Amino acid sequence: MKFLSERTSTQLFLNFPLLSELKYSVVIPVKNEELNILETLNAFLLQETLNGEFFDCKTFEILILANNCADHSVSIINDFKRKNPELTIYIEEVTLLPDQANIGFVRKILMDAAFHRLQKNGGGIILTTDGDTSVAKDWIAQNIFEIESGADAVGGRILLKPKELNELDHAAKTLHFKDEKYQLLVADFEAKILNEPHDPAPKHHQHFNGSFAVTTECYEKSGGIPNVTHLEDCAFFEQLQFIDAKVRHSFKVVVHTSARCIGRTEVGLSYQLNEWKMIGKNGAKVYVESSEAVLERLLLKKKLLDLWERREISKLTIQSEFNRMFPEMSLKNDAHLSIFNYSYFGAWYAEILKIVKDEWTKKDTLIFIDKAVNDLETLLQNYEITNFSQTSIR
């Protein structure tokens, strides 16, 4: 084990050979995962092409950063490596200082390392998952399919491991199902209203590091993982939106992750499951954005998207359309002209949201999650009956 400084963090995995066939790099942060890591690694022995053929192991590598481990994770990984030499697995064992010992820093240096390695081979795809997560046998192949179909990045469907889901606290399980149903309904609305060619229905709501893939080109263009201590996946997704990256939320890309309520990160799925567990015990209610607020937000984004695509029209026309979009508020200092200040819609849209945020916060947009789900289902009946067969709800 070595102490990791800012200087040495840029040298991770530099001493490991680079196969000429390498196209895909899988990064996995590990901290005290002795109970899960073997299942995680075994899944990569089973990788197949979309035709069910053996996936060429020489085209991908697995980069593992074992940080501050106090269990047998490292010895289990090394033993697995010895028994399965056909897989290219490289592990760096490090000790992090308190200001570095967070998932944001760990994921960033892992993704950066994968980026630099792939760049030496002319680029490729960076994929990330977790040490308590098992990927489907076509996980790599389905990610490749979505990217070859036009996506810059892919968020996979993250489900809870069935056995652990069944053993989950009743309150946590109930609220997890309700939240899943709500989020999937919102995602369905997004697909129908925004009608983005790169992310059509059916789509889901997850773009988290339990299953995420991004091209090296897009990673470089975005600036990589932001400097945050946690929720680095959400911060990265926001950064991808700023550059209009084509992010696909694919049901074809599937992983199963641990349903533990005590995790390794400050904020994450385990934190949320524990929160729901506590909420259930306290008899509290969960409130979410109302169906009316969801619809208003998405319709506004669609109108702004349409205006963005026609931004060569006259400034007077743009101002007129802005006035129709925001009849109850005054945009200060010719804010409508900000459309000409940005190269990407996502960055401009974020600026507009800042302007309307104060007005929206005056509205009572949060309602009980059960009512929100019922309202969304009613609204969606105007489009089609939603099929949840691919979710963890049923």
Side-chain angles (χ1 to χ4, degrees):
M1 182 180 291
K2 63 184 179 183
F3 172 79
L4 189 67
S5 67
E6 280 292 338
R7 181 180 62 82
T8 57
S9 69
T10 62
Q11 300 172 358
L12 287 174
F13 303 100
L14 286 181
N15 296 326
F16 295 110
L18 193 69
L19 297 181
S20 60
E21 300 95 330
L22 180 67
K23 298 178 182 178
Y24 320 111
S25 188
V26 180
V27 302
I28 307 175
V30 169
K31 181 180 179 181
N32 297 337
E33 291 291 0
E34 63 181 4
L35 299 179
N36 296 290
I37 192 61
L38 199 56
E39 183 181 2
T40 298
L41 295 177
N42 271 318
F44 289 98
L45 287 172
L46 307 175
Q47 290 301 293
E48 298 178 351
T49 67
L50 297 186
N51 295 325
E53 300 172 352
F54 175 73
F55 195 94
D56 188 356
C57 292
K58 292 182 179 179
T59 62
F60 73 92
E61 65 180 10
I62 301 171
L63 306 181
I64 299 175
L65 185 64
N67 65 97
N68 298 45
C69 287
D71 66 355
H72 298 97
S73 294
V74 174
S75 61
I76 292 172
I77 294 168
N78 284 326
D79 184 58
F80 181 88
K81 282 180 57 179
R82 285 190 294 271
K83 294 177 179 177
N84 301 281
E86 65 270 35
L87 285 181
T88 303
I89 301 175
Y90 299 136
I91 179 172
E92 292 269 23
E93 187 180 5
V94 300
T95 298
L96 301 178
L97 292 174
D99 63 333
Q100 297 175 332
N102 59 77
I103 190 58
F105 177 77
V106 171
R107 191 86 63 176
K108 177 178 174 59
I109 60 178
L110 264 173
M111 298 279 275
D112 287 350
F115 168 78
H116 290 300
R117 289 177 64 82
L118 288 170
Q119 284 295 85
K120 293 177 182 178
N121 269 17
I125 301 174
I126 306 167
L127 304 97
T128 186
T129 187
D130 291 318
D132 65 341
T133 302
S134 179
V135 305
K137 64 182 180 180
D138 60 352
W139 184 69
I140 296 178
Q142 291 289 4
N143 273 298
I144 295 169
F145 171 80
E146 295 292 4
I147 286 175
E148 290 183 345
S149 297
D152 299 313
V154 183
R157 187 72 177 106
I158 304 172
L159 306 176
L160 298 183
K161 293 179 180 179
K163 184 176 183 296
E164 295 185 35
L165 175 61
N166 290 334
E167 297 172 351
L168 195 63
D169 173 85
H170 177 72
K173 185 193 299 187
T174 299
L175 288 176
H176 166 67
F177 283 167
K178 288 182 180 181
D179 181 73
E180 282 281 277
K181 192 166 188 177
Y182 172 78
Q183 298 293 350
L184 288 164
L185 285 165
V186 172
D188 208 358
F189 249 125
E190 288 180 350
K192 289 172 173 60
I193 293 175
L194 300 182
N195 195 28
E196 296 175 303
H198 66 274
D199 201 19
K203 59 175 280 188
H204 58 77
H205 58 291
Q206 295 171 310
H207 35 255
F208 310 129
N209 282 326
S211 179
F212 200 78
V214 60
T215 66
T216 50
E217 181 182 4
C218 182
Y219 190 79
E220 182 176 34
K221 184 178 179 181
S222 70
I225 304 292
N227 292 312
V228 294
T229 59
H230 55 275
L231 295 180
E232 75 289 350
D233 40 18
C234 295
F236 185 44
F237 177 68
E238 183 175 324
Q239 202 149 294
L240 291 176
Q241 288 184 302
F242 289 162
I243 62 165
D244 293 350
K246 297 176 181 178
V247 182
R248 174 64 175 138
H249 296 83
S250 175
F251 276 111
K252 296 178 180 179
V253 180
V254 179
V255 304
H256 285 83
T257 195
S258 171
R260 62 192 178 196
C261 291
I262 300 177
R264 307 293 185 264
T265 61
E266 186 176 346
V267 180
L269 176 59
S270 58
Y271 172 87
Q272 185 62 72
L273 289 173
N274 190 59
E275 283 287 294
W276 286 329
K277 180 180 178 181
M278 293 299 103
I279 288 173
K281 285 187 175 181
N282 297 330
K285 290 185 176 181
V286 174
Y287 291 86
V288 294
E289 188 180 24
S290 69
S291 59
E292 292 82 2
V294 169
L295 191 59
E296 180 181 4
R297 172 172 56 81
L298 292 176
L299 288 175
L300 172 63
K301 186 173 184 179
K302 177 60 176 174
K303 291 176 182 177
L304 290 172
L305 266 169
D306 292 342
L307 186 58
W308 174 265
E309 293 173 355
R310 298 183 295 109
R311 61 189 180 279
E312 298 303 322
I313 59 179
S314 70
K315 293 181 180 180
L316 186 62
T317 302
I318 288 177
Q319 183 176 21
S320 175
E321 295 204 19
F322 258 84
N323 290 338
R324 285 200 297 272
M325 289 183 205
F326 308 103
E328 299 176 357
M329 62 188 79
S330 58
L331 293 177
K332 44 192 175 182
N333 302 325
D334 296 325
H336 62 282
L337 297 179
S338 64
I339 194 172
F340 300 108
N341 299 334
Y342 293 91
S343 300
Y344 301 106
F345 168 77
W348 177 60
Y349 177 63
E351 179 64 26
I352 297 301
L353 287 185
K354 291 178 184 177
I355 296 173
V356 302
K357 182 178 179 181
D358 289 341
E359 185 68 25
W360 280 1
T361 54
K362 297 175 185 176
K363 302 177 182 178
D364 186 13
T365 61
L366 298 181
I367 63 173
F368 184 36
I369 190 169
D370 289 43
K371 176 170 172 49
V373 166
N374 289 335
D375 290 348
L376 284 170
E377 287 182 319
T378 299
L379 284 173
L380 277 167
Q381 286 176 2
N382 295 327
Y383 294 91
E384 64 183 3
I385 297 176
T386 305
N387 178 10
F388 289 108
S389 60
Q390 300 185 78
T391 77
S392 62
I393 295 173
R394 295 179 181 174

